[in-house]
Amino acid sequence: MQAEHLVGRDAELDLAMEILRQEGAGAVLLVADPGIGKTALAAEIAARLAGEMVVMRVHGSPALSAVPYGVLAPYLLDLPVEQATSPVAILREFWSQFEKQRGGEGARLLLIVDDAHDLDEGSTQILAELVTAGWARLVATSRPRPGLPAALLQLWYDGLAERLELHPLDKQTVTELAEKTLGGTVMSSAVEVLHSASEGNPLLLHCLLEDSKSEGNLVRRNGVWLLTRALSGSGESLAEVVRNRVLRTSEAEREAMYIIALSEPVPAAVLDTQVGRDTVRALMDSRLVLSANGAGGPLKMWHPMYSEALRKIVSPARSLQIRQRMEQQLSAEPSTAEGLLRMVSWALDCGADVDDERLLQAAFLAAKLLQNPLALAAAGKVRAEALRPRARAVMAMVHYNDGDYRSAVGLLEEGSGFLDADPSRPLGAGLLWAAARIAAGDPSADIVADVRTAAKALIGDREISDPVVRQIERHVRALELAVLANDGRYEELREGLDGFAEALGDDGPDLAMNRIFLLAMQCELLTVEGQPGQALEAGREALLVLENDNDLLYFSDFVLLRYTLAALESGDWVAAATALDRYAAGSAMGLIYFGGGIEALKGMSLLRQGRLEQATELLTPAVEALRVRDPLQLRGLGNALAFYAAAKSGNTLLARRLESEQRAAAGAGAFVEALAELFRLAGQELLSKGTGLQKLSQLPESGYLHRLPGILLQNLVLRAEVGDVQAMESIQETASPMDGGWAAGWQSMAAAQLRGDGQGFVNAGNLLAASGMPGPAAVAFDRAAVTFDAEGKRPEARQAAVLRDVSEASLGDALVHDPHTEADRSVPLTRREQDIVALAVSGLTDRQIAEKLMVSVRTVEGHLYRSYAKLGIRRREDLGAAVRH
């Protein structure tokens, strides 16, 4: 294993080195599951101590576990045969070999024992005696099951050894390892997928990185690594690891693993009848097989990637043979969604027959979990004409998420058309059709005309009952309302929603769909009208109905986007993050398909909180991901947010590139595109003074949409942030009737600015801080400090400066003083800040400074940001001039 696989193991490495270098007896027992890194850690220990000690290696082996002293054979070649069973003779001969290697230099002996759980008892006793007598230091690795041999455990009990249990890597360490391996930034959503898929196992993570690169699933765009497709278990690196482990098992154990991989989860009793209980127990002891739900539960492979790799090894003919043998013993109705998908996927792989109902059930479930190849394969196999429309709707959803909007439209218009494309859930299919048409760039008037034409043809071609006619009419009206919202015609939308609500009634098969649609539209309307609290309530209710009626296509994305935007306008950052996390709740694939959109919206949340650096770290990779997939139609907004963040942080080169790549997304919707336009103009003002502010000021006069409070307040806040102090009066007027922490915080800031008193700024800062906006809070406290200082109120100024520093410390990034206030020279740089600033001015990076001063990079960043505040600057480039001044 390469050196980078030791990322995150510094504490264990330092402790092991300390133990092995101490006087007296010393041993380190490393315990971990396969692939966690115990062998790599032992090798690194040996490499570091090779200049101080003579390293001798012993490798445990299942084949030699029953052979007394078998693993010591390489060191016993000169031992007479008649003494081969004498522990004393073996110990003497082993020590003789060590003396030869030591060459009279007086070096200590370091024993490196790998896979100690496979040692025979005699060898274990010899090794333990060497440690007990103080003749050798020992590093032994072992799996938790069957665990360390008794003689080595006794060393631990006697205080002669330290037992170190290695755990899977956490997300932060996975990020470090992935970026070190790939040599560049890895998108955070890709890290989430890699962490989830590898379960923090360094060996599997390395395999996934290597295989994903070679297969083109992991690509680099503008310096950012991101996933474009699902991780695969068919790569050569993973296959090699699996083959090596499988080859070390018996034929019966291999057969058991094939059965589990193909049909998991498998009831333990079923597997016992196939391969025998002893075989199953041996696999569990080797940590190759686990119980899915604790002791006594069904069995599965210890890691999903092992299952996938094993399935690639089994030929279709062998797979079919196993399926036929197992068919009578496995449940006809799998108890879990995972079981259903596995059974259908297995059948499709080996050519077995599956009934249409189950194919359609699996296709729909696979589409929801974004297992798109399986969704397409299962839906494409549906034969029954009555089920084909819903199968086509499933395939259309897959094509839409892949950005193939024309194919989605074509599938939905087959047969009786999009209004009846999914007979059991027609509104979802209709909304998907409309969204695909909009995303493809079709004019709204054409879409509405086609809806009406299709409805007329559907009603005219059949003899249908009045309730069905009314249902079709409601669906037509819903699609017309969706187009109104997309075009930003919110006055007409409000009137239309009132009529739609009155026509709903309280029964009918489409009640849940219509109810969800109505609530989602109300959520969007209330958000743009400046009532995000009410919007959130409507969104929550829609999500609740959706959970109770979960057999719906497209509705989840339709609701979640609107709910998230309402949460962001309300200033409920937790609600927004929770909503976005739902995209990954069912499947890691959600982060591959929706990762760009998720991170764009999280970046917007961070910008509103004033966390500029963190926002920039998310938004720049998000833009690259949105180029590949953009099912939420957020590429334009994501680019605008990243452009604004880059311009505000002083990264002119990045800002210029992002500016040149800006374009509106056809399917973004008027609300999202209006927000994008605001951030684009604010970024232009920051990048080139005088190019964006005037346009921002003129937007409310350009049309009704930009006068809506939910859009107008964002305009005014951005104007204030780029230096337009006159926007404050309008902020107070616009924000006062709005609900939510974001509006209330800015209303308080505006009121304090207009009054110009220090206590007002302190009050505003406290409200902003309590609302989770430390960036604006720091600005408010800074203005309070300057105001108090000008009034000669030194104690109040110092207290305000302390509050400012507290807010800045919680930021973790470089948003500090307001650019229009003077630096607070009453708070001098500390000695440590002076040292770090001097090194930064000399040209050292944060990491180089950290290494020179032997502190963390985060500590350096924190001192620099506080120094920016005290010097009255906003970026690193201004340090030199500020220090000279």
Side-chain angles (χ1 to χ4, degrees):
M1 196 181 286
Q2 298 173 6
E4 60 261 26
H5 297 162
L6 290 171
V7 170
R9 302 297 186 204
D10 293 343
E12 292 90 343
L13 181 58
D14 291 344
L15 178 57
M17 298 290 287
E18 180 182 342
I19 292 167
L20 295 169
R21 281 175 169 150
Q22 69 186 5
E23 291 300 322
V28 175
L29 310 176
L30 303 176
V31 180
D33 281 327
I36 294 296
K38 55 187 182 297
T39 299
L41 184 55
E44 180 65 16
I45 292 169
R48 294 197 181 192
L49 294 176
E52 307 171 33
M53 303 180 186
V54 174
V55 178
M56 297 177 70
R57 289 178 167 81
V58 175
H59 295 274
S61 166
L64 295 175
S65 60
V67 180
Y69 312 110
V71 296
L72 301 180
Y75 302 108
L76 306 177
L77 298 177
D78 297 334
L79 186 69
V81 175
E82 62 273 12
Q83 296 181 15
T85 58
S86 168
V88 174
I90 289 171
L91 184 59
R92 188 184 302 115
E93 179 59 25
F94 189 91
W95 191 255
S96 172
Q97 292 294 324
F98 163 61
E99 290 288 352
K100 290 179 182 178
Q101 293 194 33
R102 182 163 62 172
E105 304 243 343
R108 294 177 177 179
L109 169 61
L110 175 62
L111 293 168
I112 303 294
V113 182
D114 205 13
D115 289 343
H117 51 273
D118 284 330
L119 291 179
D120 63 277
E121 185 178 354
S123 297
T124 306
Q125 290 290 350
I126 293 291
L127 297 173
E129 287 177 21
L130 286 167
V131 174
T132 303
W135 293 355
R137 301 292 187 271
L138 170 71
V139 176
T141 71
S142 172
R143 296 176 190 164
R145 294 180 62 181
L148 288 158
L152 297 187
L153 276 177
Q154 190 63 48
L155 295 175
W156 181 42
Y157 296 145
D158 293 342
L160 301 177
E162 184 72 32
R163 184 181 185 275
L164 303 182
E165 188 168 346
L166 306 185
H167 299 284
L169 305 178
D170 59 22
K171 198 181 305 178
Q172 181 179 349
T173 309
V174 167
T175 303
E176 292 176 26
L177 198 156
E179 292 187 341
K180 190 168 185 178
T181 302
L182 296 171
T185 301
V186 181
M187 189 173 174
S188 64
S189 60
V191 170
E192 291 266 8
V193 175
L194 289 164
H195 181 254
S196 174
S198 67
E199 296 182 354
N201 186 295
L203 177 60
L204 292 182
L205 177 61
H206 173 73
C207 293
L208 290 174
L209 290 171
E210 290 299 314
D211 291 341
S212 296
K213 270 182 64 180
S214 62
E215 293 171 354
N217 299 338
L218 186 64
V219 299
R220 188 173 189 172
R221 296 180 183 273
N222 286 318
V224 177
W225 289 93
L226 56 106
L227 285 166
T228 59
R229 293 192 297 273
L231 297 173
S232 166
S234 60
E236 187 53 39
S237 294
L238 181 61
E240 184 65 23
V241 169
V242 174
R243 276 195 295 266
N244 286 341
R245 289 207 69 188
V246 169
L247 286 174
R248 291 187 293 181
T249 61
S250 67
E251 187 175 341
E253 289 169 346
R254 286 196 291 275
E255 178 72 4
M257 286 190 286
Y258 293 153
I259 292 172
I260 295 171
L262 289 166
S263 56
E264 65 184 349
V266 184
V270 171
L271 200 60
D272 287 346
T273 63
Q274 293 289 316
V275 297
R277 183 162 299 178
D278 290 343
T279 299
V280 175
R281 187 178 295 113
L283 288 172
M284 295 186 75
D285 285 343
S286 300
R287 300 287 285 175
L288 284 164
V289 171
L290 301 174
S291 179
N293 300 316
L299 302 175
K300 63 178 184 178
M301 293 302 299
W302 82 282
H303 196 282
M305 284 294 164
Y306 261 51
S307 297
E308 192 169 345
L310 282 169
R311 289 195 286 270
K312 301 293 182 183
I313 293 174
V314 183
S315 68
R318 182 81 177 101
S319 177
L320 181 60
Q321 183 186 47
I322 293 173
R323 182 181 177 87
Q324 290 170 342
R325 197 174 79 225
M326 295 286 294
E327 213 155 16
Q328 299 302 316
Q329 300 187 54
L330 295 175
S331 171
E333 292 296 331
S335 58
T336 64
E338 177 190 15
L340 170 66
L341 293 179
R342 180 82 291 279
M343 292 302 290
V344 171
S345 178
W346 186 11
L348 294 175
D349 286 344
C350 65
D353 191 45
V354 185
D355 67 82
D356 285 342
E357 291 281 357
R358 180 168 288 189
L359 280 171
L360 187 55
Q361 183 185 6
F364 178 81
L365 182 58
K368 282 187 63 179
L369 297 176
L370 295 167
Q371 296 182 23
N372 289 345
L374 176 56
L376 290 174
K381 291 286 186 180
V382 173
R383 299 171 293 261
E385 195 54 42
L387 300 179
R388 285 291 298 157
R390 184 156 173 77
R392 286 195 293 268
V394 169
M395 291 189 284
M397 187 78 239
V398 171
H399 285 298
Y400 179 86
N401 284 335
D402 274 333
D404 187 356
Y405 305 120
R406 289 300 178 194
S407 293
V409 170
L411 284 162
L412 291 167
E413 291 181 345
E414 281 187 39
S416 57
F418 59 89
L419 285 177
D420 204 21
D422 181 3
S424 64
R425 304 295 189 196
L427 181 54
L431 286 172
L432 179 61
W433 172 85
R437 288 283 303 269
I438 291 168
D442 291 349
S444 298
D446 291 354
I447 296 171
V448 172
D450 289 346
V451 168
R452 292 172 179 167
T453 301
K456 185 177 180 180
L458 188 61
I459 295 171
D461 287 350
R462 308 182 188 175
E463 292 187 7
I464 52 180
S465 63
D466 289 342
V468 174
V469 171
R470 287 195 295 273
Q471 177 179 325
I472 293 172
E473 289 173 345
R474 282 195 295 269
H475 295 162
V476 169
R477 188 57 183 147
L479 296 182
E480 291 174 343
L481 293 174
V483 172
L484 287 176
N486 182 78
D487 290 349
R489 294 154 63 186
Y490 288 107
E491 288 177 307
E492 296 174 62
L493 177 64
R494 173 159 287 288
E495 183 180 343
L497 287 177
D498 291 341
F500 189 78
E502 291 174 5
L504 269 188
D506 57 2
D507 58 6
D510 60 346
L511 178 62
M513 290 180 292
N514 288 322
R515 182 71 180 151
I516 294 169
F517 171 77
L518 174 63
L519 290 166
M521 286 287 93
Q522 288 174 336
C523 180
E524 178 176 344
L525 180 62
L526 288 165
T527 301
V528 298
E529 288 182 342
Q531 300 300 321
Q534 297 178 41
L536 269 181
E537 287 304 313
R540 286 193 185 100
E541 189 176 345
L543 290 173
L544 183 61
V545 178
L546 191 62
E547 286 176 0
N548 293 331
D549 194 347
N550 207 20
D551 190 28
L552 296 169
L553 280 173
Y554 185 63
F555 272 97
S556 180
D557 303 339
F558 189 77
V559 174
L560 277 171
L561 176 58
R562 287 159 176 80
Y563 177 80
T564 303
L565 290 171
L568 291 179
E569 184 160 306
S570 176
D572 193 336
W573 320 121
V574 174
T578 302
L580 293 172
D581 288 343
R582 288 174 65 118
Y583 282 104
S587 165
M589 283 300 298
L591 291 170
I592 296 176
Y593 276 83
F594 294 95
I598 291 170
E599 297 199 1
L601 292 171
K602 285 184 176 179
M604 183 175 173
S605 176
L606 290 167
L607 284 176
R608 285 189 169 175
Q609 295 170 53
R611 302 180 187 275
L612 178 60
E613 182 180 324
Q614 295 172 42
T616 305
E617 288 176 356
L618 278 184
L619 289 167
T620 305
V623 171
E624 304 307 322
L626 287 169
R627 297 181 205 280
V628 180
R629 281 195 176 85
D630 184 20
L632 296 177
Q633 307 301 312
L634 292 175
R635 180 177 173 183
L637 178 59
N639 183 283
L641 292 167
F643 168 56
Y644 173 76
K648 192 170 186 180
S649 62
N651 191 336
T652 304
L653 188 63
L654 174 61
R656 291 291 185 198
R657 177 173 68 78
L658 291 168
E659 184 181 33
S660 69
E661 296 168 351
Q662 290 175 1
R663 68 175 182 83
F671 179 30
V672 169
E673 184 48 43
L675 291 174
E677 184 177 10
L678 297 178
F679 280 97
R680 279 196 292 268
L681 291 174
Q684 287 172 11
E685 179 65 21
L686 289 169
L687 201 59
S688 304
K689 199 74 173 173
T691 60
L693 186 56
Q694 184 178 1
K695 293 177 182 177
L696 278 172
S697 303
Q698 294 170 347
L699 275 178
E701 307 304 320
S702 68
Y704 159 79
L705 181 63
H706 281 279
R707 291 195 295 272
L708 289 169
I711 298 173
L712 178 58
L713 182 59
Q714 181 67 82
N715 182 326
L716 295 168
V717 168
L718 286 170
R719 283 162 57 184
E721 289 184 342
V722 299
D724 183 4
V725 294
Q726 295 178 349
M728 283 299 182
E729 184 173 349
S730 297
I731 286 177
Q732 185 176 26
E733 179 183 343
T734 303
S736 293
M738 293 175 63
D739 55 24
W742 182 60
W746 276 101
Q747 190 274 333
S748 180
M749 172 79 93
Q753 178 74 31
L754 294 172
R755 288 196 305 269
D757 68 304
Q759 189 57 47
F761 282 123
V762 170
N763 294 340
N766 286 330
L767 180 58
L768 287 161
S771 300
M773 294 184 280
V779 172
F781 289 132
D782 187 59
R783 291 181 183 175
V786 172
T787 303
F788 282 135
D789 192 57
E791 296 172 353
K793 298 178 179 179
R794 299 293 179 181
E796 290 88 344
R798 284 194 292 271
Q799 182 60 34
V802 169
L803 292 171
R804 178 199 63 210
D805 290 347
V806 169
S807 290
E808 289 173 356
S810 69
L811 277 176
D813 64 36
L815 180 61
V816 287
H817 286 0
D818 177 67
H820 303 284
T821 62
E822 293 297 321
D824 182 10
R825 299 290 181 177
S826 65
V827 184
L829 297 182
T830 66
R831 179 54 187 245
R832 177 61 96 182
E833 288 168 348
Q834 293 175 29
D835 292 342
I836 289 175
V837 166
L839 291 172
V841 170
S842 73
L844 296 185
T845 66
D846 289 355
R847 185 168 296 282
Q848 288 169 332
I849 296 171
E851 291 173 353
K852 187 176 185 66
L853 299 179
M854 292 184 290
V855 296
S856 71
V857 175
R858 178 58 68 186
T859 297
V860 172
E861 292 171 346
H863 282 300
L864 280 174
Y865 301 150
R866 284 187 287 277
S867 301
Y868 296 161
K870 294 175 181 179
L871 295 170
I873 62 175
R874 298 174 61 84
R875 55 186 183 176
R876 194 187 196 95
E877 290 82 353
D878 299 330
L879 270 176
V883 172
R884 287 192 295 274
H885 175 72

